[in-house]
């Protein structure tokens, strides 16, 4: 039987650390880390994420601003706001909630954010820094996964790690972070042949596909650590992961549940990046 990795608990630990650091920063320098979040339009899921980010800031004592812009906002208006926030000393981190409405160019917005304030770590400068292992900001979801793996106390060095999924926001940076911790890393995707053969080699299996209950017990090595990044809505509205918990849990040594695993970590890692950005701004 696997030990359950409790993402809520680990996330709460991260926020406690951040609270203490916020207080220290304020006492020493009179500065609070500041996060600006931009949301364009009325996407219900995005609204929930943005509200949670705002709440997260309040919880750890950060300064925050939320810009809720109408659907018909133009590219020029959005870029002008990013430019204003780039120049604002109270703001250490800027995040534009994706996806944007179709008429807006997401790439142009990502490029417009000052890399020193790019707390999502989506700017090519930060992506490149992650590649060479010289980074301030960790991409939030993969960073949360690393923290969860670390919470098991298992040393990543030399482990066979398999990541299923090669997206720019999860799979690819996840593989890089594991590599920087000296794992032997394999990345799988929709064209991978004999997927189960590859996944059965994994001491640590990270699954980020977006297909409910895709990974089953027969695809997992006895004693593996299994991290489920997937967030899928079932017909009954319930949230479920990419891993079939019922068949995988008996084989795994550690496993993350959905909900309550990777999900709660992502915003905590965003807050961690904002703290890092504030500290970097002080050092300058
Ligand atoms: P994505 O951009 O759609 O990428 C999915 C990846 O899975 C692709 O690389 C795709 O391969 C691969 N894939 C699809 N079907 C496959 C199959 N049958 N066998 C092997 N690989 C397959 O998704 P994403 O943004 O990375 O997100 C993945 C999941 O994580 C989603 O459920 C998302 O909701 C969730 N997520 C959760 C959080 C969180 O905070 N917990 C954050 C981000 C994402 P190809 O490249 O070949 O198409």
């Amino acid at each position: 039987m696997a030990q359950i990795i409790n993402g809520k608990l680990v996330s709460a630990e991260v926020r406690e650390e951040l609270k203490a650091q916020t207080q220290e920063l304020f006492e020493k320098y009179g500065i609070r880390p500041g996060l600006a979040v931009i949301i364009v339009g009325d996407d219900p899921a995005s609204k929930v994420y943005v509200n949670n980010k705002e709440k997260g800031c309040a919880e750890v004592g950060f300064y925050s601003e939320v810009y809720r812009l109408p659907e018909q906002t133009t590219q020029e208006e959005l870029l002008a706001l990013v430019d204003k926030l780039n120049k604002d000393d109270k703001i250490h981190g800027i995040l534009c909630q994706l996806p944007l409405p179709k008429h807006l160019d997401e790439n142009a917005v990502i490029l417009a954010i000052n890399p020193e304030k790019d707390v999502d770590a989506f700017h090519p400068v930060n992506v490149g820094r992650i590649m060479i292992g010289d980074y301030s900001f960790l991409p939030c979801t993969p960073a949360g996964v690393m923290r969860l793996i670390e919470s098991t106390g298992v040393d990543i060095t030399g482990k066979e790690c398999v990541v299923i999924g090669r997206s720019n926001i999860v799979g690819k940076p996840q593989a890089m972070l594991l590599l920087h911790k000296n794992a032997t890393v394999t990345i799988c995707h929709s064209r991978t042949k004999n997927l189960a053969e590859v996944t059965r080699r994994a001491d640590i299996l990270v699954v980020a596909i977006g297909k409910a209950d895709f990974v089953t017990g027969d695809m997992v090595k006895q004693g593996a650590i299994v991290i489920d990044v997937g967030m899928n809505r079932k017909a009954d509205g319930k949230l479920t992961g990419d891993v079939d918990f019922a068949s995988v849990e008996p084989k795994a040594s550690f496993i993350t549940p959905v909900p309550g695993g990777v999900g709660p970590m992502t915003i905590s890692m965003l807050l961690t990046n904002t703290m890092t950005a504030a500290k970097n701004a002080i050092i300058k």
Side-chain angles (χ1 to χ4, degrees):
M1 232 179 70
Q3 287 187 53
I4 307 298
I5 304 174
N6 187 335
K8 282 188 198 160
L9 209 71
V10 181
S11 172
E13 281 168 19
V14 172
R15 291 187 193 202
E16 280 308 313
E17 289 164 18
L18 286 172
K19 251 190 230 174
Q21 288 174 33
T22 305
Q23 200 172 340
E24 200 185 316
L25 212 66
F26 190 70
E27 281 164 11
K28 262 195 192 164
Y29 302 101
I31 284 173
R32 287 187 189 284
L35 177 69
V37 181
I38 305 169
I39 175 170
V40 187
D42 291 316
D43 179 62
S46 293
K47 278 183 173 173
V48 173
Y49 294 141
V50 167
N51 289 344
N52 287 340
K53 285 165 188 173
E54 197 176 16
K55 276 189 212 151
C57 282
E59 190 187 329
V60 298
F62 286 7
Y63 172 73
S64 74
E65 293 177 1
V66 179
Y67 293 84
R68 294 182 172 86
L69 306 182
E71 180 86 22
Q72 61 273 21
T73 300
T74 65
Q75 185 78 17
E76 291 68 32
E77 287 166 336
L78 186 53
L79 291 178
L81 174 58
V82 170
D83 186 49
K84 179 180 92 90
L85 294 169
N86 277 340
K87 292 173 182 150
D88 187 339
D89 289 342
K90 292 192 303 302
I91 298 300
H92 304 101
I94 303 169
L95 177 151
C96 186
Q97 187 67 43
L98 303 179
L100 288 171
K102 293 249 176 322
H103 68 281
L104 296 170
D105 180 353
E106 285 184 2
N107 218 21
V109 177
I110 290 170
L111 284 174
I113 295 174
N114 176 351
E116 306 305 323
K117 297 190 177 190
D118 168 42
V119 283
D120 254 340
F122 289 167
H123 193 290
V125 165
N126 287 321
V127 175
R129 285 176 180 159
I130 291 158
M131 190 79 177
I132 58 176
D134 176 19
Y135 42 75
S136 288
F137 305 136
L138 294 168
C140 299
T141 300
V145 169
M146 295 306 286
R147 182 84 190 218
L148 292 178
I149 296 171
E150 279 157 19
S151 78
T152 66
V154 172
D155 184 7
I156 297 171
T157 300
K159 294 283 187 300
E160 285 272 358
C161 293
V162 174
V163 179
I164 320 182
R166 57 173 165 177
S167 71
N168 287 334
I169 63 163
V170 190
K172 277 187 215 159
Q174 188 68 68
M176 274 302 136
L177 298 189
L178 288 163
L179 190 63
H180 292 320
K181 291 287 176 190
N182 301 313
T184 302
V185 186
T186 306
I187 307 175
C188 298
H189 46 79
S190 66
R191 316 280 177 90
T192 298
K193 296 225 176 8
N194 304 322
L195 181 65
E197 259 177 44
V198 182
T199 58
R200 274 197 294 268
R201 291 207 306 261
D203 301 309
I204 300 173
L205 179 62
V206 181
V207 190
I209 313 174
K211 290 192 171 149
D213 304 334
F214 181 88
V215 170
T216 45
D218 58 314
M219 297 170 73
V220 174
K221 177 175 166 177
Q222 190 71 41
I225 297 176
V226 181
I227 308 288
D228 188 354
V229 182
M231 289 200 316
N232 311 290
R233 287 270 165 214
K234 281 192 161 169
D236 61 6
K238 281 197 182 140
L239 198 62
T240 188
D242 289 346
V243 173
D244 174 39
F245 192 87
S247 66
V248 173
E249 186 271 338
K251 289 186 87 174
S253 56
F254 293 90
I255 188 167
T256 58
V258 178
V262 176
M265 294 301 293
T266 298
I267 293 180
S268 295
M269 302 323 287
L270 170 75
L271 298 172
T272 302
N273 281 345
T274 306
M275 172 60 79
T276 303
K279 286 181 179 169
N280 288 349
I282 290 166
I283 294 164
K284 274 195 171 165

